[in-house]
Amino acid sequence: MRDPLTAANRCMVSPARIAEVLASVKTVYGATQSRAEALEEQAQEAEDAKLAEAAEAGGEAAPEPPDCQGQNHHVISRPIAEVLKDHPTLSGLYEPRDERFVARAKDQESHCGYQKWHREVDLEVMKWLRRERRATPEEFMAKLREIYSRKDMRKRFPNGFGPAT
């Protein structure tokens, strides 16, 4: 014979209370999941920053020449190229310091060596690449063009970027 009472009735819990408890569980689970995702993102950002710092320390990113008058800026830096190597859709399409993507700096102040703004741009691009795992080459180029069309970047590189001349 079937028990006519539901589990909620046997426990003397109202359906409203059950819904309330389930909502609380979902909220706690969501907060825990969001926290875990935030921690993972922080760890990845720290790893990306170390990669950029290592490139700078090793003189790999863009060493400062003694007579720097405004360098050619390679949009695909070595740290960005490292992330591109493992990208599911963009791997193999770009080289470190790829000559197809170069911007000529207006002057020495705009670009000489691996300056703070350069590291910040690299980190932004690296973060975007990690987030956009299905990005197409067109979407990647659109992201780069968006960055290099910003007011502060146009001041540094008035002609944008393209193949080295």
Side-chain angles (χ1 to χ4, degrees), residues 41-90:
E41 188 173 315
Q42 286 175 344
Q44 189 61 64
E45 286 176 9
E47 183 181 322
D48 290 346
K50 284 181 185 176
L51 183 63
E53 288 171 14
E56 178 182 18
E60 296 175 356
E64 183 174 330
D67 61 345
C68 185
Q69 297 299 315
Q71 295 173 303
N72 279 338
H73 164 66
H74 293 84
V75 173
I76 309 292
S77 65
R78 282 190 170 86
I80 290 172
E82 276 298 311
V83 175
L84 281 165
K85 260 193 329 192
D86 298 324
H87 195 277
T89 58
L90 302 174

Side-chain angles (χ1 to χ4, degrees), residues 12-29:
M12 292 195 253
V13 178
S14 71
R17 178 68 181 137
I18 292 172
E20 183 182 316
V21 168
L22 287 174
S24 296
V25 168
K26 286 180 183 177
T27 300
V28 168
Y29 175 74

Side-chain angles (χ1 to χ4, degrees), residues 49-136:
K50 284 181 185 176
L51 183 63
E53 288 171 14
E56 178 182 18
E60 296 175 356
E64 183 174 330
D67 61 345
C68 185
Q69 297 299 315
Q71 295 173 303
N72 279 338
H73 164 66
H74 293 84
V75 173
I76 309 292
S77 65
R78 282 190 170 86
I80 290 172
E82 276 298 311
V83 175
L84 281 165
K85 260 193 329 192
D86 298 324
H87 195 277
T89 58
L90 302 174
S91 179
L93 300 178
Y94 307 93
E95 297 292 324
R97 299 173 57 80
D98 199 317
E99 291 298 319
R100 296 174 295 167
F101 310 103
V102 177
R104 180 71 182 163
K106 179 180 73 175
D107 54 24
Q108 179 180 359
E109 186 179 318
S110 296
H111 185 328
C112 191
Y114 198 49
Q115 296 160 301
K116 183 178 186 288
W117 67 264
H118 194 314
R119 290 188 299 277
E120 288 171 353
V121 167
D122 279 1
L123 291 174
E124 178 183 352
V125 172
M126 292 158 68
K127 186 176 178 179
W128 185 89
L129 287 166
R130 292 190 195 284
R131 188 176 58 248
E132 302 297 331
R133 303 301 292 165
R134 299 179 91 116
T136 64

